[in-house]
Amino acid sequence: MLPTRLSLAPRAVVSLLLTFLALSAHASAYFIVEEPTASTQWKNGQAAPVKWDKGVLDGVDAFDLEMARLGSDGLTYVAMNVDTTKNANKVLNIVLDNIPAGDDYFLVFLNSTHGLIHGTSDRFTVLAKDSSSNANASSPDSSASTVTVTSAPNPTNAWATTFALPNGAVRLLTQGLESAFLGVALAMLCSVAGAAWTLL
Ligand SMILES: *[C@@H]1O[C@H](CO)[C@@H](O)[C@H](O)[C@H]1NC(C)=O
Ligand SMILES: *[C@@H]1O[C@H](CO)[C@@H](O)[C@H](O)[C@H]1NC(C)=O
């Protein structure tokens, strides 16, 4: 019984250590999509807010916003270079125009240059302009920018809005990128170590 315990112990310690390393590499990468949520309904023609929150020191000073549907592979490019520096408003108003109704939309917050995803929203609903239901969304934020999205999901469409990148964003983003790569490298290391450990 004792030898069994002893041989299990190092394995547990190693996996705990690897888990800790992987978690600490991601600790600063905190990004929460507050709206839309699963019960949100956006109605074509009415402004509704997108809200998020994120870690202050994560190195992400801007993101690109895309809208996608689970049921189709089309993407709508909503806005590029959305400012999310420390003092920026973490709200962006969206007005949908002629977007097909559906209950399988979600937003992707990412750097589209290299595809690093910061966060995704819950799956939410888009109502037609002439729908008899009311939109279930918060009021738009009068101090935030408003983006009108007219295109139907189509990967060849251009961005509805491109903002100017905030000052200093590139330098800080490089750090964010490095820590993302570190996270990926650690995750790979963990799975390799985990696999090797299982084989032993
Ligand atoms: C929508 O409706 C649900 C209740 O069904 C509510 O919890 C939610 O806060 C509402 N508002 C938004 C913006 O989703
Ligand atoms: C995406 O990353 C690239 C390279 O790090 C950077 O130049 C660009 O500004 C980033 N885009 C956004 C929206 O942050």
Side-chain angles (χ1 to χ4, degrees), residues 60-64 80-82 110-115 118 165-166 169-170 173-175 177:
V60 178
D61 277 1
F63 59 80
D64 304 323
M80 195 179 184
N81 300 336
V82 179
L110 79 169
N111 182 316
S112 61
T113 309
H114 41 64
H118 308 303
L165 263 183
V170 173
L173 274 162
T174 312
Q175 290 171 7
L177 194 59

Side-chain angles (χ1 to χ4, degrees), residues 67-91:
M67 189 167 76
R69 293 186 77 167
L70 282 180
S72 78
D73 49 8
L75 265 184
T76 301
Y77 300 98
V78 176
M80 195 179 184
N81 300 336
V82 179
D83 182 0
T84 191
T85 44
K86 194 165 156 242
N87 297 318
N89 223 343
K90 293 186 180 61
V91 189

Side-chain angles (χ1 to χ4, degrees), residues 115-140:
L116 180 69
I117 294 179
H118 308 303
T120 54
S121 76
D122 287 342
R123 173 180 159 173
F124 65 97
T125 298
V126 170
L127 301 171
K129 195 172 199 148
D130 57 4
S131 161
S132 55
S133 334
N134 292 318
N136 179 28
S138 308
S139 309

Side-chain angles (χ1 to χ4, degrees), residues 35-41 136-138:
E35 269 184 66
T37 65
S39 51
T40 302
Q41 296 180 320
N136 179 28
S138 308

